[in-house]
Amino acid sequence: APIQAPDLTTCHEAYDDSLKEKVVCCKPVVVTTIDFKFPDPSEPLRVRRPAKDMSQKDLAKFIEAIAKMKALPEDDPRNFIQQAQVHCSFCQDAYDQPGFPNIPVQVHGSWIFPAWHRFYVYFWEKILGNLIGDPTFAIPYWNWSDPEGMYLPEIYLDEKSPLYNGKRNKWHYDALLDFKYSFGDANPTSSEADDVILANLRLLNNDFTESKNTPKLFMGRVLRAGEEVVEEYGYLETVHNTIHQWVGPSTSPYWDMGNLHTAARDTVFWGHHANVDRLWNTYQLTRNMKPEFDTTDWLDATFVFPDPDVKGQAIKCKVRDSLDPSKFRYTYESVQPDEQQFLQ
Ligand code: C2O
């Protein structure tokens, strides 16, 4: 049977594995739950662009929206930290699966990883657009899959900007991203740069080609109701994990980006996940949008998110509704160089 979303009122203490301590990600709230509805097809299309290509005007809007989100009252579900706590609660065992006490809800480490994060980013983008009254507002993505994007984008590095977060590995502020990075590795030198870029591209290329007819390799392993995840990731999640570690500090508890408990408190998280989402979309395109798994165990898996518009209300979403970004009224700007190699 498909994994089912928990009742948000059942949230309990969570556990931060790096910190080895109990943490609180959510306060139980009384909620009504409604079913997810797609935005009206007449809504303008939001076009997500690479962070490095952002115009001054778009950057100013993004900064204004983030500043407003951070300034919302602490208990507002749209507040920046509240939004990050949603991630914390669904990745640090703050909920049990309905009907399976002690089996936690975990949105990483399985085939639901891409879909859950697609909804999550979608709601976040919408909140920001609403805060600045712009229905066309789209978040930037960090295109780390393209050679020109294999650095931390500048928009996140201005200490005076609300996009800034000091809890990162500062050693990586102008370093080349290495998809094989592990803690303690030195930055690639300039004479190593070309090889590292090539190795990054090769790794991605392998991820796409090897998994084309075997989606669980790309998406993650099967997970059904009552099952617990094991530490085994799909290709997309694996490279994504490395980047989390590369951005976050190299010592425990790896806050913010290197720890699922706190990762979404860094604005880079959202640019990173928009790119993860884009790469999933690219993968879908290589398969002509054919659903990756033809089983209700996946298609009817459900998630629940706090309603960005109504306090105390939750929205229930199904994996089957996540499969086509255009139904959410967002898209990625025309095919980028990194995708071309997969889309021939
Ligand atoms: Cu929910 Cu990048 O992890």
Side-chain angles (χ1 to χ4, degrees), residues 18-262:
S18 305
L19 199 62
K20 303 218 175 352
E21 267 177 34
K22 294 220 163 140
V23 290
V24 176
C25 308
C26 43
K27 296 193 194 77
V29 275
V30 181
V31 284
T32 49
T33 305
I34 57 164
D35 286 330
F36 175 74
K37 269 211 257 13
F38 287 111
D40 196 87
S42 66
E43 273 193 25
L45 197 61
R46 302 165 190 266
V47 184
R48 296 183 186 167
R49 299 192 174 85
K52 68 167 179 52
D53 295 343
M54 252 190 149
S55 68
Q56 281 309 342
K57 200 169 129 235
D58 285 348
L59 178 58
K61 275 192 196 173
F62 187 39
I63 288 175
E64 184 195 340
I66 293 288
K68 287 197 163 148
M69 191 185 229
K70 289 188 167 175
L72 287 170
E74 249 174 77
D75 62 345
D76 190 312
R78 301 166 304 161
N79 171 282
F80 187 80
I81 296 294
Q82 283 286 326
Q83 282 291 305
Q85 295 294 70
V86 171
H87 193 253
C88 173
S89 66
F90 286 105
C91 64
Q92 304 280 4
D93 306 355
Y95 294 103
D96 299 330
Q97 293 185 28
F100 300 95
N102 302 319
I103 306 283
V105 176
Q106 170 56 269
V107 297
H108 303 87
S110 83
W111 62 357
I112 62 172
F113 167 80
W116 187 86
H117 289 81
R118 175 165 284 173
F119 282 113
Y120 187 37
V121 171
Y122 163 75
F123 286 123
W124 194 75
E125 178 174 71
K126 244 188 140 157
I127 296 170
L128 292 171
N130 286 343
L131 286 171
I132 56 167
D134 181 354
T136 68
F137 175 82
I139 59 165
Y141 62 86
W142 171 16
N143 64 334
W144 44 256
S145 37
D146 182 76
E148 283 186 49
M150 290 174 187
Y151 297 87
L152 260 177
E154 245 172 77
I155 61 165
Y156 304 110
L157 297 177
D158 173 2
E159 283 187 38
K160 287 187 240 51
S161 164
L163 304 187
Y164 189 73
N165 180 319
K167 296 183 191 147
R168 296 181 189 144
N169 187 335
K170 301 204 169 62
W171 195 240
H172 290 158
Y173 275 11
D174 53 7
L176 175 63
L177 170 65
D178 179 355
F179 292 176
K180 297 260 168 64
Y181 171 78
S182 58
F183 292 127
D185 285 357
N187 290 331
T189 62
S190 50
S191 61
E192 289 162 349
D194 286 349
D195 287 347
V196 170
I197 291 173
L198 211 62
N200 286 350
L201 292 174
R202 274 213 191 101
L203 184 144
L204 267 187
N205 200 296
N206 282 343
D207 284 358
F208 273 81
T209 44
E210 259 180 46
S211 65
K212 187 160 175 185
N213 299 313
T214 319
K216 67 169 195 269
L217 293 178
F218 188 84
M219 307 283 288
R221 61 199 299 280
V222 173
L223 185 73
R224 298 187 190 87
E227 293 175 352
E228 210 164 337
V229 297
V230 295
E231 285 203 24
E232 193 186 293
Y233 304 95
Y235 293 161
L236 182 62
E237 192 170 353
T238 300
V239 62
H240 139 278
N241 286 344
T242 307
I243 294 167
H244 269 280
Q245 290 170 355
W246 186 81
V247 177
S250 59
T251 49
S252 179
Y254 312 107
W255 292 354
D256 285 336
M257 265 291 271
N259 186 321
L260 294 175
H261 167 199
T262 49

Side-chain angles (χ1 to χ4, degrees), residues 258-325:
N259 186 321
L260 294 175
H261 167 199
T262 49
R265 297 181 189 182
D266 191 333
T267 51
V268 172
F269 172 95
W270 303 91
H272 177 34
H273 271 278
N275 199 46
V276 169
D277 186 69
R278 185 179 68 101
L279 291 174
W280 177 27
N281 185 235
T282 305
Y283 181 74
Q284 296 183 296
L285 291 170
T286 65
R287 296 172 34 86
N288 300 315
M289 303 307 276
K290 181 171 157 226
E292 285 81 355
F293 308 99
D294 181 20
T295 163
T296 52
D297 283 348
W298 184 61
L299 294 165
D300 290 336
T302 58
F303 313 128
V304 66
F305 292 90
D307 189 329
D309 298 317
V310 183
K311 202 169 166 181
Q313 183 154 289
I315 303 183
K316 193 182 227 176
C317 312
K318 280 190 173 172
V319 166
R320 70 167 73 244
D321 288 334
S322 72
L323 305 182
D324 180 359

